[in-house]
Amino acid sequence: MTETLLLALVVVTALAFDFTNGFHDTGNAMATSIATRALKPRTAVALSAVLNLVGAFLSLAVAATIAKGIVDAGVITLPVVLAGLVGGIVWNLITWLFGIPSSSSHALVGGMVGAVLAAVGTSGVLWEGVIAKVLVPALIAPVVAIAVAGLGTWLVARLTRGVPQDVTNRGFRWGQIGSASLVSLAHGTNDAQKSMGIILLALIAGGAVPADSGVPFWVILSCALAMAVGTYLGGWRVIRTLGKGLVEIDTRQGMAAETSSAAVILLSSHFGFSLSTTHVATGSVLGSGVGMPGAKVRWSVAGRMFVAWMVTLPAAGLVGALCHWLESAIGGTAGTLAVFALLVISSAAIWVASRRKPVDHTNVNEAWDEEKGASLEAVAATTGEAGGERVAPVPAVATASSVGPAVSAVGTVSTPAPSNQKVGA
């Protein structure tokens, strides 16, 4: 009975990770369409949710990579899986709070590797798989995306040179909707499978299925639904950073960026690479700025994001390792329940912190002020709007120190200021 309870707890936590993956990564597909107003914010996230759901059924190659290519399934226990999932979820929520488009994939892999290292040491990690299937794609994918999107944007700019902007906006708006839809479909084929792989690991560890089992249909369906629901809620903080913080884009750049992202993600899914769709989408947006003559790329924002990417694996791994040590220190089912309770409490605390300065569909497209460079909590000292209601001023809170300088100054928003003041973002 205890083993069944622990297995159910791990499955629920894995679906929770899939949910956070959905809202954290919505911006990968729809940020540029929202920024250029090719789609209304609510319409964009709804469309993305449906296509993520469909995409989850199209391939299982990445699920196999996560389940059997990163850590030794023979040393995995249910407490280890739970600790790894907590590491991934906590890092996802922290980076979401600060509007950082970091990798949910790397947060999950980091959490699992950290928990395994704490449990059995280096022998439990399949380092060849980590390097070949995670680290190498992490280095190559953004560079490829920048190059492809940069070339595509440059070609589009050349072909449309001299064409009135209102004409190009109308024509490329439809193309942008199509390309954004393709990215959402590609995201479903890649990211939803990561939680499928983790649940398969848990089922194998719990003895529910044999070690050579494939992914059961109920796992595919539940993961697809969890990601779709998360996507529909919209990770507005991350959407804002991707859509407004890196480059001020038009519909031509948006279509080029999204098409590039879809091509790279689908190719990686075909080969079973546990690719970060966030890295690809960010690289494509940067490429659209590099390839467009006269466009301004905010490299300071990009630099902070790159640093956050570098610390994702070790940070999530540290949380996963600490959670496993806590489980071991308390012992038994009580230790596992304590870690789950810690996840619930920390998630609630992060959500409460996010309410200091909400970002939603009503203010996601407000002007970005690069010079302000304050965290979301610091900017809460100004008045803002959330959901159509005015938010009273609150004192600035110095939260950057809790997660480091890499995530301290991205994705800020403010509402219209008096005419003699600059409008912040």
Side-chain angles (χ1 to χ4, degrees):
M1 181 64 182
T2 300
E3 193 76 6
T4 302
L5 174 63
L6 291 180
L7 180 58
L9 202 63
V10 169
V11 170
V12 169
T13 308
L15 293 177
F17 172 83
D18 215 18
F19 174 83
T20 65
N21 191 343
F23 75 74
H24 196 286
D25 289 5
T26 308
N28 297 344
M30 292 298 173
T32 57
S33 295
I34 293 172
T36 62
R37 293 176 170 78
L39 286 168
K40 294 181 179 180
R42 284 296 189 190
T43 304
V45 296
L47 177 61
S48 185
V50 171
L51 292 170
N52 266 303
L53 177 67
V54 173
F57 290 91
L58 298 183
S59 170
L60 292 176
V62 175
T65 295
I66 292 293
K68 302 172 184 178
I70 303 298
V71 295
D72 184 359
V75 302
I76 291 294
T77 63
L78 292 177
V80 168
V81 176
L82 180 64
L85 285 168
V86 172
I89 292 173
V90 168
W91 185 251
N92 264 358
L93 292 177
I94 289 174
T95 51
W96 162 76
L97 175 65
F98 288 91
I100 297 288
S102 72
S103 171
S104 298
S105 310
H106 291 178
L108 177 59
V109 171
M112 290 303 302
V113 169
V116 169
L117 287 174
V120 299
T122 58
S123 62
V125 180
L126 304 179
W127 295 107
E128 183 178 350
V130 172
I131 294 171
K133 297 287 189 177
V134 179
L135 295 181
V136 171
L139 296 173
I140 295 176
V143 176
V144 172
I146 290 174
V148 173
L151 178 60
T153 303
W154 180 81
L155 288 173
V156 168
R158 293 280 295 179
L159 292 172
T160 59
R161 186 170 51 184
V163 179
Q165 185 174 1
D166 60 336
V167 175
T168 59
N169 283 344
R170 284 196 301 270
F172 281 94
R173 180 175 290 116
W174 290 105
Q176 191 177 8
I177 293 171
S179 58
S181 299
L182 188 58
V183 175
S184 292
L185 189 69
H187 183 269
T189 67
N190 195 285
D191 277 45
Q193 297 176 55
K194 292 157 189 171
S195 292
M196 297 180 200
I198 290 298
I199 293 177
L200 179 58
L201 264 179
L203 294 175
I204 293 172
V209 299
D212 59 350
S213 174
V215 182
F217 177 78
W218 69 267
V219 174
I220 299 173
L221 178 61
S222 58
C223 287
L225 289 173
M227 175 163 284
V229 172
T231 301
Y232 178 71
L233 290 182
W236 302 110
R237 286 160 139 52
V238 179
I239 289 174
R240 173 164 175 74
T241 301
L242 276 175
K244 304 296 290 186
L246 290 172
V247 183
E248 291 293 339
I249 61 176
D250 61 23
T251 55
R252 296 173 298 171
Q253 294 167 273
M255 193 183 92
E258 289 154 0
T259 304
S260 303
S261 295
V264 175
I265 294 167
L266 288 172
L267 188 64
S268 72
S269 294
H270 174 73
F271 288 107
F273 291 133
S274 180
L275 187 71
S276 166
T277 56
T278 302
H279 289 189
V280 174
T282 304
S284 296
V285 172
L286 288 173
S288 73
V290 171
M292 178 62 71
K296 178 185 177 183
V297 178
R298 297 188 181 99
W299 292 109
S300 60
V301 176
R304 292 190 288 269
M305 290 166 48
F306 292 152
V307 174
W309 292 359
M310 292 174 62
V311 302
T312 291
L313 280 168
L318 178 60
V319 176
L322 290 174
C323 286
H324 187 267
W325 287 331
L326 178 62
E327 288 173 330
S328 301
I330 297 176
T333 304
T336 304
L337 292 175
V339 168
F340 185 77
L342 183 63
L343 171 63
V344 173
I345 293 171
S346 60
S347 299
I350 293 171
W351 183 84
V352 170
S354 74
R355 296 301 87 196
R356 295 176 184 273
K357 182 62 183 179
V359 181
D360 58 22
H361 67 284
T362 65
N363 60 3
V364 69
N365 267 343
E366 288 183 5
W368 186 277
D369 185 354
E370 183 183 10
E371 294 180 0
K372 179 165 286 189
S375 69
L376 285 163
E377 277 66 32
V379 109
T382 64
T383 19
E385 292 182 9
E389 298 181 0
R390 299 295 295 178
V391 179
V394 298
V397 180
T399 58
S401 59
S402 63
V403 292
V407 291
S408 64
V410 180
T412 55
V413 179
S414 67
T415 45
S419 58
N420 64 337
Q421 296 181 3
K422 183 180 290 185
V423 176

